[in-house]
Amino acid sequence: MSTLLIVALVGALAVVGYVLGVRRAMASADGDLRLLHSLKGYYGQNVALLVLVPSLLVLVIWMTVQPLLIEQSVLGMISNTDVAQGSSRSLMMADVRRVADGLDVAVAQGAMSRDAASDVRVDFTNVRERLASVGVAVGSTVTQSTLEAAQKFRALAATGNMIRGIVVLLIAAAGFGYALKQTDKDFRARNVVERGILVLLIAAASIAVLTTLGIVFSLIFNTIDFFESFPGADFFFGTRWEPSFSGRGGASDLGFLPLIWGTLYISIIALVVAVPLGLFAAIYLSEYASNSVRSIAKPVLEVLAGIPTIVYGLFALLTVGPLLVNIFGADGLLGVNWMSGGTAAMTAGLVMGIMLIPFVSSLSDDIINAVPQAMRDGSYGLGATQSETIRQVILPAALPGIVGAVLLAASRAIGETMIVVLGAGAAASLSLNPLEAMTTVTAKIVSQLTGDGEFNSPETMVAFALGMTLFVITLALNVVALIIVRKYREQYD
Amino acid sequence: MNDMRIVKRDVDMNDIKISAKGVQVYYGDTHAIKDVNVEIKDKTVTAFIGPSGCGKSTFLRCLNRMNDTIDICRVEGSIQIEGEDIYDKRVDPVQLRAKVGMVFQKPNPFPKSIYDNVAYGPRIHGLARTKADLDEIVEKSLRRGAIWNEVKDRLHAPGTGLSGGQQQRLCIARAVATEPEVLLMDEPCSALDPIATAQVEELIDELRENFSVVIVTHSMQQAARVSQKTAFFHLGNLVEYGETGQIFTNPQDPRTESYITGRIG
Ligand SMILES: Nc1ncnc2c1ncn2[C@@H]1O[C@H](COP(=O)(O)OP(=O)(O)OP(=O)(O)O)[C@@H](O)[C@H]1O
Ligand SMILES: [Mg+2]
């Protein structure tokens, strides 16, 4: 039974349940609305919720657990000799899955009968070609053991899906029956629905948290793999970043310091540009600008936020870089030779700063506008000027929000990639000169993974270690900021 | 009213502090104040009374140009303080507001400590030369606001953490700390218990020695207790203005009489 069909059936049952719930409640009160404990819609919602929530919850859990279980049992069928032929167990497993899916597709398209699909043998049919003809590409010739594993996979999946459908529908039916039986004029449907909504909201919140945990775990395992083949001390304290890809041979230097230095340096340049400009723009817009100016300037500023970062990258590469070379380069306006090429930390930092201005300004603008007018009146009433009022009353009151806006901008800056790739160059360096090329953690993650190195060498696995470290650093940043904000709140709330 | 007050009044009634002529106020298309003429005397307490929404706060805010901060608000006519038109282009509203202080209808302490709230005005206007000076001003103002005893042990706690009535008195202390010549008070006692009210009324009486005070109130008793002059507003018009004693005992206008006796509200 397909997932879609199950969901549709459960949904239909919920709709029927709603209608019956309302009817039953009305009947129990002899049609007099005032005798009901809750509004009649609540009885219907109660039934619908009891049908939907438990059954769909089971469906979701089933759908995540079943493939794992099937994989476990199929994995045993792949013989070790097959694995030895230059590929790993997980690659074999991927092949099995592809073949199984391919057979399903072939059946669905009518290219094979159901029986033919479960009877295919390698010696009679060229499975690879058959599958290619229905549009499923398999990497290598299909061996007998792969095929058998795939058949087992299909059989298990079919039984599993069957049982799943039955179980889910039974649960929905049980919810339906139970809720209808409960329905009665004195039943407190309103309170139950209220609690149901609370549960839904909590579920939504936990999904966000769980996803974050999932991301962390997926990074952690790969990171541990990396540190098994590369010494941690060399990674964290190495001052040179010179990966050598397997083709060229030789050991790599995978020092983290030049990368994080580049990330922080460029982010700080960006924030130095974005925070004052964004904040001043926000203050102008919210405190000084007339309504007509505001209604034009604010959207215009926010358009900046909609520009894709690759466009900013081009702007850095084609405009800002050459401009800076014209000023600081060999034959430049200043007559100094500080800058040899257009790609530099300064180029990327300036452009990134421009990109961040609308973030800072539109968030701060909202926050400043949220400061009550009574605060301003109080200050003006004591004979303060507009800028005194802003500095001494409005900004302190808005500070927690502004710190939040700046942090958001900081994490954008740290995570930004395209502008860095195009504007800052690719050479990792631990230089103090902002006019020199630098690179960042994110840019290197991209370049390590887009090469054609094997997916298990330290040179590629380092990307996970980089990602993880970046994650920990931004997390620490946010925690520190939260502490600051909270401390401030306690003082003035 | 009692005789003592009449004697005192003769001594004090020297010159006119604020003189408003033909004042009209519009909020967009709403005509909130209609042709108000009033002369407010120096060293006098003037009470504004009238039903809710009649424009008392609006008129009060004209006197220190607080209406400038409302975009849609337009003020016409002339308002002079000591002969100088305050709506003249050359007049700096900031300077004016330092001279004409205000306590708002709703308490609005800043999100700062109690001390910093009171020290705000003196700091801006450079009224204290040393820290000790400032401490003294803060203590004196808090005493005048009748709140010193409650907050003297927690001067550095946030002002927003006080109760509504305490916040109201903190705002009064904050306003008197800048030593204004005129103090405008918009229902300063609306959130206060009888004891604090009595203390604030005492303060108003004390301020009268040097300043002129304009107070908006919904309490007839309070108007009668603290003020020497009373103005009755109704639907944006100044219906009657005169000696407090005369307004309360012998009103000329039937609308005043019915308001005082509780028939319009
Ligand atoms: N900011 C504003 N925008 C538009 N209209 C306003 C504004 N403030 C006041 N008004 C209008 O002006 C009129 C007078 O209001 P005002 O606040 O002066 O009344 P009030 O006499 O102080 O009343 P209360 O005793 O309830 O404080 C009311 O009709 C009110 O709706
Ligand atoms: Mg008012």
Side-chain angles (χ1 to χ4, degrees):
Chain A
M1 214 180 291
S2 80
T3 323
L4 202 65
L5 184 63
I6 298 176
V7 174
L9 285 176
V10 172
L13 196 60
V15 173
V16 174
Y18 182 90
V19 176
L20 289 185
V22 170
R23 288 237 186 101
R24 198 179 149 91
M26 288 300 281
S28 75
D30 295 328
D32 188 350
L33 268 182
R34 287 167 304 174
L35 292 180
L36 291 177
H37 169 270
S38 317
L39 289 176
K40 60 181 184 177
Y42 281 115
Y43 294 95
Q45 285 173 33
N46 174 46
V47 179
L49 276 177
L50 271 178
V51 171
L52 287 175
V53 174
S55 59
L56 293 186
L57 196 68
V58 168
L59 181 64
V60 168
I61 294 173
W62 197 295
M63 281 168 68
T64 38
V65 173
Q66 177 177 312
L68 294 179
L69 291 180
I70 293 183
E71 217 154 282
Q72 277 303 319
S73 70
V74 170
L75 211 57
M77 290 180 63
I78 302 172
S79 60
N80 280 331
T81 45
D82 284 328
V83 175
Q85 286 168 5
S87 69
S88 69
R89 220 164 244 276
S90 63
L91 283 181
M92 291 292 294
M93 198 56 225
D95 263 357
V96 169
R97 229 176 291 129
R98 283 205 82 103
V99 172
D101 286 349
L103 289 172
D104 284 342
V105 171
V107 172
Q109 291 189 354
M112 260 186 208
S113 74
R114 193 173 292 273
D115 293 337
S118 22
D119 289 344
V120 249
R121 305 238 327 255
V122 232
D123 15 353
F124 296 139
T125 333
N126 185 336
V127 179
R128 192 177 176 192
E129 267 173 21
R130 278 304 285 275
L131 292 185
S133 71
V134 293
V136 177
V138 180
S140 53
T141 325
V142 180
T143 63
Q144 184 61 33
S145 71
T146 310
L147 191 61
E148 270 165 22
Q151 295 294 12
K152 171 114 186 268
F153 189 95
R154 288 185 67 214
L156 284 176
T159 344
N161 287 353
M162 182 79 164
I163 303 176
R164 177 185 77 186
I166 294 169
V167 169
V168 169
L169 288 181
L170 279 180
I171 291 174
F176 181 85
Y178 178 68
L180 270 187
K181 197 167 155 277
Q182 270 185 327
T183 305
D184 173 68
K185 68 178 171 23
D186 294 325
F187 176 61
R188 302 179 174 200
R190 190 174 176 212
N191 310 23
V192 175
V193 170
E194 196 64 24
R195 214 158 328 126
I197 285 169
L198 176 70
V199 171
L200 278 182
L201 296 180
I202 290 177
S206 11
I207 284 176
V209 175
L210 289 178
T211 320
T212 316
L213 283 183
I215 293 173
V216 172
F217 277 115
S218 71
L219 282 178
I220 277 184
F221 292 122
N222 287 309
T223 308
I224 292 173
D225 274 357
F226 167 72
F227 282 121
E228 272 164 10
S229 57
F230 195 87
D234 287 1
F235 174 73
F236 284 115
F237 303 111
T239 54
R240 280 150 57 88
W241 176 268
E242 278 160 14
S244 80
F245 279 96
S246 47
R248 272 174 273 144
S252 309
D253 283 315
L254 297 174
F256 175 66
L257 288 181
L259 301 187
I260 191 69
W261 171 252
T263 295
L264 294 182
Y265 205 157
I266 293 175
S267 304
I268 285 170
I269 295 175
L271 289 180
V272 165
V273 173
V275 171
L277 286 180
L279 200 55
F280 291 167
I283 290 172
Y284 170 72
L285 283 180
S286 58
E287 297 292 315
Y288 290 89
S290 67
N291 269 339
S292 50
V293 172
R294 191 180 145 84
S295 67
I296 296 171
K298 199 169 156 131
V300 166
L301 201 59
E302 277 166 5
V303 162
L304 281 180
I307 299 176
T309 57
I310 186 80
V311 176
Y312 280 108
L314 290 176
F315 178 58
L317 185 69
L318 300 177
T319 313
V320 177
L323 195 80
L324 288 177
V325 174
N326 277 341
I327 299 173
F328 298 105
D331 301 313
L333 291 176
L334 296 182
V336 291
N337 186 9
W338 290 342
M339 195 170 178
S340 48
T343 50
M346 186 60 106
T347 314
L350 284 180
V351 174
M352 209 188 274
I354 295 169
M355 176 192 83
L356 293 177
I357 289 174
F359 274 90
V360 178
S361 77
S362 91
L363 284 172
S364 316
D365 179 61
D366 293 345
I367 293 154
I368 290 174
N369 273 323
V371 175
Q373 180 63 27
M375 289 292 138
R376 297 183 178 90
D377 284 351
S379 175
Y380 294 142
L382 290 169
T385 63
Q386 202 159 11
S387 76
E388 283 165 347
T389 304
I390 290 166
R391 251 183 300 130
Q392 305 199 22
V393 177
I394 296 178
L395 287 185
L399 198 62
I402 290 173
V403 171
V406 169
L407 278 168
L408 196 72
S411 30
R412 284 273 314 194
I414 289 175
E416 176 50 42
T417 314
M418 276 340 288
I419 295 178
V420 179
V421 169
L422 293 179
S429 91
L430 257 179
S431 162
L432 270 179
N433 181 359
L435 300 171
E436 226 169 71
M438 276 183 203
T439 195
T440 65
V441 179
T442 50
K444 279 302 154 197
I445 293 179
V446 174
S447 67
Q448 291 315 103
L449 290 183
T450 47
D452 41 358
E454 288 163 53
F455 209 63
N456 45 17
S457 65
E459 283 78 12
T460 46
M461 297 298 282
V462 72
F464 296 106
L466 290 177
M468 191 69 208
T469 322
L470 202 60
F471 178 85
V472 170
I473 290 173
T474 38
L475 193 72
L477 205 78
N478 284 352
V479 170
V480 169
L482 262 181
I483 293 172
I484 295 173
V485 169
R486 193 160 301 162
K487 200 164 164 198
Y488 183 90
R489 285 245 167 92
E490 262 167 29
Q491 216 175 338
Y492 289 130
D493 247 3
Chain B
M1 296 268 108
N2 63 32
D3 292 354
M4 256 175 62
R5 204 169 254 175
I6 290 165
V7 174
K8 203 166 186 184
R9 198 174 287 148
D10 287 345
V11 180
D12 289 341
M13 274 197 195
N14 26 33
D15 40 13
I16 290 162
K17 186 79 181 173
I18 304 175
S19 141
K21 292 202 186 73
V23 176
Q24 317 270 357
V25 182
Y26 303 86
Y27 289 109
D29 294 331
T30 326
H31 198 172
I33 292 288
K34 296 161 190 157
D35 194 29
V36 167
N37 296 289
V38 74
E39 290 187 334
I40 291 167
K41 300 234 153 83
D42 200 8
K43 302 194 192 334
T44 310
V45 177
T46 307
F48 288 177
I49 58 172
S52 186
C54 67
K56 305 177 298 292
S57 299
T58 302
F59 186 70
L60 200 66
R61 291 164 62 96
C62 290
L63 302 181
N64 66 346
R65 292 187 60 174
M66 278 308 288
N67 283 330
D68 290 14
T69 62
I70 300 174
D71 284 340
I72 54 166
C73 184
R74 216 167 70 243
V75 179
E76 286 169 10
S78 107
I79 299 177
Q80 298 188 332
I81 293 189
E82 291 177 334
E84 193 186 9
D85 186 353
I86 61 169
Y87 280 87
D88 193 281
K89 284 207 167 48
R90 279 166 304 173
V91 170
D92 177 8
V94 169
Q95 217 95 60
L96 171 74
R97 291 181 199 135
K99 219 163 64 172
V100 184
M102 181 152 198
V103 176
F104 292 85
Q105 186 163 356
K106 271 183 276 175
N108 55 351
F110 301 134
K112 297 171 177 292
S113 69
I114 293 170
Y115 184 95
D116 288 337
N117 260 285
V118 181
Y120 187 84
R123 278 190 179 133
I124 282 180
H125 301 296
L127 299 185
R129 249 169 292 124
T130 60
K131 175 84 173 71
D133 270 1
L134 193 59
D135 288 349
E136 201 185 305
I137 293 177
V138 169
E139 175 172 348
K140 191 172 128 212
S141 308
L142 286 169
R143 280 189 194 283
R144 293 169 96 179
I147 191 182
W148 171 252
N149 288 329
E150 284 155 76
V151 301
K152 61 173 185 261
D153 301 322
R154 49 166 172 160
L155 286 177
H156 295 284
T160 40
L162 297 173
S163 79
Q166 289 173 326
Q167 290 187 5
Q168 184 70 282
R169 281 175 284 154
L170 176 63
C171 291
I172 293 172
R174 188 175 72 181
V176 296
T178 44
E179 301 281 335
E181 292 172 25
V182 180
L183 189 60
L184 311 175
M185 304 174 107
D186 200 344
E187 296 182 37
C189 301
S190 57
L192 302 190
D193 62 52
I195 297 169
T197 303
Q199 284 168 319
V200 170
E201 286 176 4
E202 220 168 87
L203 165 74
I204 293 172
D205 218 49
E206 179 196 320
L207 289 173
R208 187 167 62 92
E209 316 255 300
N210 301 306
F211 314 129
S212 73
V213 177
V214 183
I215 174 173
V216 172
T217 176
H218 280 295
S219 153
M220 303 301 138
Q221 290 84 347
Q222 184 171 53
R225 278 195 304 265
V226 300
S227 72
Q228 288 81 52
K229 297 278 246 175
T230 296
F232 171 64
F233 287 82
H234 186 238
L235 298 177
N237 297 302
L238 177 61
V239 173
E240 193 165 349
Y241 177 52
E243 301 289 318
T244 299
Q246 180 239 316
I247 294 267
F248 281 98
T249 51
N250 184 21
Q252 305 297 306
D253 194 288
R255 283 171 292 178
T256 317
E257 191 185 349
S258 35
Y259 181 69
I260 289 166
T261 52
R263 266 174 284 144
I264 353 180

